[in-house]
Amino acid sequence: MEKPKYGLHIILFLLTFLTLTFQEETLNLPFLQWDWIRAQFWERYLYSIPVLGILFCHEMGHYLAARYYGIRATLPFFIPLPVSPVGTMGAVIKIQEPIRDKKQLFDIGIWGPAMSLILSVPCYLIGLKYSKLVPISELSQSLGSNPELFQVRFGESLLVAWANQLVLGPFDANLYEVEIHPLAFAGWVGLLVTAINLLPFGQLDGGHVIYAVFGEKYRTWIYYLFCVFLALSFWNYAWILWGLLIYYFIRVEHPYVPDPTYPLDSIRKVSGIAILLSLVFIFTPSPMEIVTAAGPQPSLGEELWNGIRDLFVRQN
């Protein structure tokens, strides 16, 4: 039996805390002034600590479910990424022996996203209390007329758009944008991570859940669902990369897992369908967009939608 590598887990955890807090400057920390390091820490710790907590609880949801069934699994491996604005590629655990049936698969698959969803929503809502609205005209003014200047704007899911209006609104999203507090940004990142994990393909958490709930018959229609997912590339080209990752590495279909002795009970089926449907509300079609002095740069999908809308308006 492989011994746990506690040292490696701790080192990756600490490195991820550094990349979440200091972003690109992580590699330069030994050469930076202490005053800057301290100021950056106090500015960013309300982002980095909640994100670590969300990722940790997500993976421990999988880990504890696996251990409940006596299945060997590693502790979470955190993945540091010294690149802004997020600062991490998440965390993973490794299941070290086969999952015996679809009931175990369901429980191991659902507890990760369930935990991160439970934590991310209050993080975002509480963080919004400390956020503020900024007129888009001020943003355009600050960017000036220099075409080389830009700002990254974070996209909205249905849940995020509703929460913004509930806590800070009502306001016109065409005139104002939300300057979110670090705690709210942690919740936003948690929701994004949860949504990506809930994509219903292959070895992703959503793939485990949808396969466990619908069984082998899901193989007759899962590729149609994958084609719908690929259409998201019209809104954001990053989904092309995700489509390739899913098709060639994560896989569209889930590997075979035997049926349980007794079929999934109704509570599990309802819970599985509910968490899959939550993807509709937390998924962000265009997670990030570039804003210049001319305003947000629309994606191909947005340009098509705007053209159809303008054509409809002219005809009426």
Side-chain angles (χ1 to χ4, degrees):
M1 182 174 179
E2 186 179 349
K3 293 182 179 179
K5 301 175 183 178
Y6 295 113
L8 178 59
H9 294 289
I10 293 170
I11 290 171
L12 289 174
F13 178 87
L14 294 175
L15 284 175
T16 304
F17 172 75
L18 292 177
T19 57
L20 285 167
T21 306
F22 301 106
Q23 310 280 303
E24 293 94 340
E25 296 300 332
T26 301
L27 302 177
N28 296 324
L29 282 177
F31 311 104
L32 297 173
Q33 295 183 349
W34 173 247
D35 288 343
W36 183 90
I37 294 174
R38 183 172 55 188
Q40 182 74 357
F41 170 80
W42 288 113
E43 181 181 340
R44 295 277 297 181
Y45 81 98
L46 284 175
Y47 164 72
S48 53
I49 292 176
V51 169
L52 278 175
I54 290 169
L55 294 176
F56 177 77
C57 290
H58 180 111
E59 296 305 326
M60 288 304 291
H62 294 314
Y63 176 82
L64 292 175
R67 298 303 301 141
Y68 175 80
Y69 288 111
I71 297 173
R72 290 185 292 114
T74 67
L75 291 169
F77 292 97
F78 289 83
I79 308 173
L81 182 69
V83 176
S84 63
V86 176
T88 181
M89 290 187 68
V92 296
I93 67 168
K94 181 180 179 182
I95 303 294
Q96 296 177 305
E97 58 183 297
I99 296 173
R100 301 179 190 99
D101 60 48
K102 290 185 177 71
K103 177 183 176 183
Q104 295 181 0
L105 178 70
F106 177 89
D107 289 352
I108 293 170
I110 197 171
W111 275 108
M115 291 301 298
S116 56
L117 188 60
I118 289 170
L119 293 173
S120 298
V121 172
C123 271
Y124 191 77
L125 291 174
I126 295 170
L128 276 182
K129 289 284 188 181
Y130 303 96
S131 303
K132 61 181 181 179
L133 294 175
V134 178
I136 292 177
S137 58
E138 287 186 12
L139 173 63
S140 299
Q141 261 187 345
S142 65
L143 292 173
S145 58
N146 189 339
E148 295 182 1
L149 293 179
F150 67 91
Q151 186 179 57
V152 177
R153 178 182 293 175
F154 304 107
E156 295 181 343
S157 62
L158 292 176
L159 175 64
V160 165
W162 172 81
N164 290 348
Q165 294 291 334
L166 176 70
V167 177
L168 298 173
F171 64 91
D172 188 343
N174 294 315
L175 299 178
Y176 295 91
E177 77 169 39
V178 179
E179 188 176 290
I180 60 175
H181 185 271
L183 180 60
F185 185 44
W188 184 90
V189 170
L191 289 171
L192 178 66
V193 169
T194 304
I196 290 174
N197 275 280
L198 278 176
L199 292 174
F201 307 116
Q203 298 277 22
L204 293 170
D205 298 340
H208 296 327
V209 172
I210 198 170
Y211 175 54
V213 169
F214 292 99
E216 301 303 326
K217 61 184 178 182
Y218 105 120
R219 301 185 190 279
T220 62
W221 47 261
I222 189 62
Y223 278 94
Y224 295 110
L225 194 58
F226 182 63
C227 291
V228 173
F229 169 75
L230 290 179
L232 291 169
S233 59
F234 286 113
W235 268 260
N236 191 294
Y237 301 132
W239 298 121
I240 297 176
L241 175 60
W242 272 101
L244 292 173
L245 287 173
I246 290 171
Y247 188 82
Y248 288 106
F249 298 101
I250 299 171
R251 300 299 182 186
V252 178
E253 295 186 48
H254 197 285
Y256 174 76
V257 175
D259 290 329
T261 304
Y262 300 100
L264 290 187
D265 54 83
S266 57
I267 293 178
R268 282 186 171 86
K269 288 183 177 180
V270 170
S271 300
I273 293 172
I275 202 163
L276 290 169
L277 287 176
S278 75
L279 182 60
V280 175
F281 299 98
I282 67 173
F283 186 80
T284 306
S286 187
M288 298 180 190
E289 60 182 6
I290 302 299
V291 182
T292 66
Q297 303 305 299
S299 64
L300 177 59
E302 290 166 335
E303 288 178 340
L304 289 171
W305 170 254
N306 290 337
I308 294 171
R309 183 189 61 189
D310 293 342
L311 180 62
F312 180 80
V313 170
R314 284 197 298 270
Q315 289 178 346
N316 292 274

